[in-house]
Amino acid sequence: MSQSPDFNAIVQQVLSRLEDASKGSVALAGCRDVENYADASAKAQEIWHRDFGLDTRCQIIEEIRADLRPHIESLAKLAVEETGMGNLRDKIIKKTLTIEKTPGPESIKPHAITGDRGLVLEEHAPYGVIASIIPCTNPVATVIHNSICMISGGNSVIFAPHPKAVNVSLRTAEIIAQTLRACGAPDGLVSALPEPSMDNLGKLMKHPKVRLISATGGPGVVNAALTSGKPAVGAGPGNPPVVVDETANLEIAGKGVVDGAAFDNNLLCVCEKELIVVNCVADELKKRMFDHGAYELKDRKEIELLERTILNGDHTANKNFVGKDATYILEKIGLKVPASVRLVIVETTEDHPFAQEELLMPVLPLIRVPDFDAALAMAKRLEHNFQHSAVIYSTNIDHMSKMAREIETTMFVKNAPAYCSLGAESDCPVTLTIATATGQGATSPQSFCRLRRCVLSGAFRII
Ligand code: NAD
């Protein structure tokens, strides 16, 4: 990823600093019961909302950003060690972006309407206590993003980490909680369950003091949130297609597809998951992709071995290979390739499990189609109506507009990697919670607030 000088300087500083990570401790020490968490969180939220105004919140969020910066490298290392997924460099980039570019309280905008009959004021109010369920694919950046957004809006948050990433999510929440404590904010404003069993998750979601559920993960957790009977922010799975048409700049497309699909070993939900290419440019596109770290598997036997290795019997992704390096995956099927290889490409048909399943690993199926219309129709089918993300490389404005309209994804990127929609290499704020199922889209502090309206009849106009 190429970024502004400031951003690169921060990443370089972090990469060059060797820092010892002290392992995570529990955000609410000595407090293990969901009931206690909910009580402490509700009390903290009341004080936070009542006594900590927007200016103070802005200052405290800046303190949180400052206190997180020295921990970027240790948290990235811990995430890789604990989950066995992703790569250090990209995790450092992701965390840096999240710390620097997640919007704070200043992004929450009230709305006023005045007319002959007086003044109407609409404001974004906190829900109260939020239960935030965290995925193992993004156990640090999601905690940072959601903490900043949720407390900016006047809420408190109880995180439920993924069992595979408990330590690193707890450690992240603990750093944020320490800053809040040092700033005089009430204890329990940001906390995390140290034992996120299904039983505890159920209790947390059903707890009467929990007013909003933010669920980031696969279909199971999103359905659980949607059927909880409470308001929910459901950030679910995707299967983002990338279309390359006959008018695309193939150098930009070749580099962009590899950069996007290889980022953090394809762990991000927005990452390119299948490549649909108009036949007449497919060979040239592959050549450009090879220049940027792609490796094509062509031998039928090798492809079958890869299928048996990275897929389960039911054709879902084998979790042992989720988020692994391309070189590691190829080694497992007996191929030693240079360390510069970041992505494996395999030509498949549309019905192949590599195209149908969300693999979350740097293995990208490439499917040839005769023309753009066939590509768009296939992209719509392979997106499975998750309404998540999609990408097009094209210089044809009609193609770009048609795909943007018809694919109906929450995120749509033209001529750049899908991660640009998250705020990387682009001018939008960072989001790590893309609320697909519930429609809030790229979440920000306002997404975790409820809109309240006050009508003042017959007065308060100034004209
Ligand atoms: P996962 O569904 O296995 O787990 C996510 C969280 O949900 C964990 O904390 C887990 O303990 C909990 N959980 C799982 N099933 C549950 C159930 N039935 N009831 C209650 N809680 C449950 O997902 P993962 O492997 O950790 O993360 C990868 C998935 O998350 C991918 O599908 C990816 O696309 C998606 N994701 C989406 C976004 C987004 O913003 N839309 C962001 C990151 C990840």
Side-chain angles (χ1 to χ4, degrees):
M1 284 188 180
S2 58
Q3 289 286 340
S4 67
D6 278 359
F7 178 88
N8 287 331
I10 293 169
V11 171
Q12 281 316 316
Q13 272 171 22
V14 174
L15 284 170
S16 61
R17 187 173 42 230
L18 278 174
E19 180 203 357
D20 289 327
S22 58
K23 289 259 169 167
S25 61
V26 177
L28 280 183
C31 186
R32 309 187 79 77
D33 190 73
V34 169
E35 195 64 39
N36 296 341
Y37 275 83
D39 282 345
S41 194
K43 279 190 197 116
Q45 192 273 328
E46 200 184 319
I47 298 168
W48 177 248
H49 180 45
R50 189 187 59 217
D51 298 342
F52 291 73
L54 282 178
D55 286 351
T56 314
R57 277 186 222 164
C58 283
Q59 285 161 12
I60 293 178
I61 297 293
E62 287 314 307
E63 293 295 325
I64 289 173
R65 295 187 209 273
D67 287 356
L68 280 166
R69 278 180 203 122
H71 296 282
I72 293 171
E73 188 196 355
S74 64
L75 289 172
K77 277 186 180 161
L78 188 55
V80 174
E81 278 165 25
E82 188 176 7
T83 64
M85 300 189 295
N87 65 66
L88 191 61
R89 175 190 168 274
D90 294 343
K91 287 202 182 294
I92 286 172
I93 292 172
K94 195 164 62 172
K95 286 161 195 42
T96 307
L97 276 168
T98 309
I99 292 167
E100 303 306 326
K101 284 183 66 182
T102 299
E106 71 291 341
S107 66
I108 301 174
K109 303 282 181 229
H111 180 225
I113 307 162
T114 70
D116 293 344
R117 283 167 287 276
L119 171 75
V120 177
L121 187 61
E122 290 181 333
E123 290 194 291
H124 292 87
Y127 275 94
V129 178
I130 302 178
S132 175
I133 301 149
I134 300 297
C136 59
T137 51
N138 220 2
V140 175
T142 309
V143 170
I144 297 172
H145 173 268
N146 285 7
S147 294
I148 292 176
C149 289
M150 289 168 180
I151 66 171
S152 288
N155 303 286
S156 61
V157 51
I158 305 172
F159 288 111
H162 191 288
K164 269 177 76 176
V166 177
N167 286 335
V168 75
S169 289
L170 288 182
R171 175 71 186 133
T172 311
E174 178 63 25
I175 294 166
I176 296 168
Q178 272 167 5
T179 305
L180 288 168
R181 224 168 280 142
C183 293
D187 257 1
L189 192 66
V190 170
S191 60
L193 295 182
E195 286 165 15
S197 60
M198 278 297 164
D199 188 37
N200 275 342
L201 270 172
K203 281 186 192 156
L204 183 66
M205 288 206 222
K206 286 195 198 95
H207 199 285
K209 287 187 176 156
V210 170
R211 305 291 292 277
L212 175 73
I213 294 164
S214 170
T216 310
V221 67
V222 172
N223 285 339
L226 288 176
T227 52
S228 67
K230 299 194 178 185
V233 174
N239 197 35
V242 48
V243 164
V244 180
D245 78 6
E246 68 285 2
T247 72
N249 178 322
L250 295 180
E251 177 52 27
I252 290 175
K255 180 174 186 308
V257 172
V258 177
D259 282 351
F263 186 77
D264 206 17
N265 296 343
N266 204 282
L267 275 183
L268 289 177
C269 53
V270 296
C271 276
E272 293 77 353
K273 299 284 187 286
E274 61 275 343
L275 174 56
I276 305 166
V277 194
V278 173
N279 189 30
C280 61
V281 293
D283 292 333
E284 188 57 32
L285 177 71
K286 284 202 290 190
K287 278 189 207 148
R288 308 298 175 108
M289 292 176 73
F290 299 148
D291 292 342
H292 294 286
Y295 178 90
E296 185 180 11
L297 220 52
K298 279 185 172 163
D299 182 272
R300 195 60 251 159
K301 286 209 169 78
E302 286 173 351
I303 294 171
E304 282 168 11
L305 189 52
L306 181 71
E307 289 163 358
R308 286 200 297 279
T309 305
I310 64 168
L311 296 176
N312 298 314
D314 62 357
H315 287 173
T316 54
N318 178 343
K319 296 248 187 250
N320 295 329
F321 292 90
V322 167
K324 295 294 186 198
D325 292 341
T327 49
Y328 173 90
I329 292 170
L330 289 172
E331 211 177 297
K332 290 290 165 192
I333 61 163
L335 292 174
K336 187 105 188 92
V337 296
S340 56
V341 170
R342 299 188 283 155
L343 182 71
V344 182
I345 54 173
V346 184
E347 284 210 31
T348 70
T349 49
E350 180 186 351
D351 58 355
H352 194 281
F354 289 176
Q356 294 286 337
E357 291 294 323
E358 185 193 31
L359 293 182
L360 296 163
M361 59 184 88
V363 174
L364 188 69
L366 183 156
I367 311 164
R368 292 175 188 252
V369 285
D371 55 34
F372 168 75
D373 285 333
L376 174 54
M378 189 182 289
K380 282 159 70 178
R381 292 191 296 270
L382 285 173
E383 212 275 322
H384 300 317
N385 203 26
F386 287 131
Q387 301 190 341
H388 200 297
S389 302
V391 178
I392 185 170
Y393 288 88
S394 173
T395 55
N396 180 319
I397 291 174
D398 290 341
H399 287 180
M400 288 192 272
S401 307
K402 189 170 182 195
M403 184 159 170
R405 264 197 312 274
E406 289 193 16
I407 194 101
E408 288 191 288
T409 47
T410 306
M411 307 298 215
F412 186 62
V413 177
K414 299 164 181 166
N415 295 319
Y419 56 58
C420 292
S421 63
L422 301 183
E425 295 176 17
S426 64
D427 298 322
C428 43
V430 159
T431 185
L432 267 299
T433 298
I434 302 147
T436 47
T438 47
Q440 293 89 351
T443 56
S444 68
Q446 285 193 184
S447 317
F448 301 100
C449 292
R450 65 196 185 98
L451 196 60
R452 293 174 57 191
R453 173 183 287 184
C454 179
V455 178
L456 180 54
S457 181
F460 253 100
R461 294 198 68 192
I462 56 171
I463 55 167

